[in-house]
Amino acid sequence: MTIKLGKRRTPVSVSVYFVGMVVLCLSLNMAEKIGLGLFFAALHELGHLAAMLSFGARPNRVCFAAAGVRIECPPGLGLSFGKEIIIAFAGPAVSITLAVLCYTAGWTDAALINLGFAVFNLLPVRQLDGGRAVYYALCRRLQEPTAANISLAVSLVVLFAMAAGVGYLSLSRGMDWPLVIAVLYVAGNC
């Protein structure tokens, strides 16, 4: 399947892992929030896409992956590090805006879902928005290989802290599947 963005068609794919994640969430009795989650995840990604298109960049592919929608960009877009940081923060900005609007409207569950998307995506972990912003901020001051190494080290420290926290919570309160899934997702992208 393809969608038209500007004058170009962009391929859209659905990963088997996306389908697997939906099935897993359904089996864990999380069905009522899946539709909302997917809708708000799509709006989050549209924030990135709008920022990208405003700078004249076009994605290579839009992929429905294990943790939602991912916009894949061609290497060497030629954007400044500042513009890359703006694109990285555009998704969380949409999620925060939606959280405020939903909370103001009294839709607490939707506000919490959006706030969760924003906080999770702002973690300084590679492949998440916060990690991309950290990498591009470091690139403004350091050589790209050094920035990549530092951003990987930060990702691993955050991942270790997340795994330790989820392990502690699981031992003290019982298994919290959404947190376990979040840690596994982050670990799989480092």
Side-chain angles (χ1 to χ4, degrees):
M1 173 169 74
T2 62
I3 56 174
K4 191 168 183 178
L5 297 173
K7 296 178 182 181
R8 244 181 64 202
R9 291 199 151 304
T10 301
V12 176
S13 64
V14 178
S15 163
V16 68
Y17 299 110
F18 175 79
V19 175
M21 188 59 68
V22 170
V23 169
L24 177 64
C25 290
L26 288 171
S27 70
L28 296 172
N29 295 324
M30 297 166 52
E32 76 182 54
K33 293 186 182 164
I34 289 176
L36 274 179
L38 293 175
F39 175 70
F40 290 129
L43 292 177
H44 173 102
E45 293 302 324
L46 283 174
H48 294 301
L49 185 60
M52 188 183 301
L53 293 173
S54 75
F55 294 130
R58 300 284 184 269
N60 271 355
R61 170 199 280 328
V62 176
C63 179
F64 288 81
V69 183
R70 184 178 68 241
I71 297 173
E72 297 175 0
C73 299
L77 283 176
L79 298 176
S80 70
F81 296 131
K83 288 179 180 178
E84 292 283 6
I85 291 169
I86 290 169
I87 292 169
F89 282 141
V94 167
S95 294
I96 290 169
T97 302
L98 289 169
V100 170
L101 291 173
C102 290
Y103 182 78
T104 303
W107 201 7
T108 309
D109 284 349
L112 290 174
I113 289 170
N114 281 295
L115 187 60
F117 278 144
V119 169
F120 181 74
N121 278 286
L122 287 172
L123 289 172
V125 175
R126 289 184 352 165
Q127 303 303 322
L128 294 179
D129 302 332
R132 289 179 48 229
V134 165
Y135 169 73
Y136 289 119
L138 289 169
C139 284
R140 295 177 85 169
R141 303 273 186 242
L142 305 169
Q143 296 293 324
E144 288 186 43
T146 304
N149 289 335
I150 292 171
S151 100
L152 175 60
V154 169
S155 294
L156 293 174
V157 167
V158 171
L159 177 60
F160 178 77
M162 286 176 66
V166 168
Y168 172 76
L169 289 174
S170 294
L171 290 173
S172 64
R173 297 184 189 170
M175 192 66 71
D176 187 339
W177 286 108
L179 288 177
V180 170
I181 291 167
V183 169
L184 290 174
Y185 170 74
V186 172
N189 285 303
C190 274

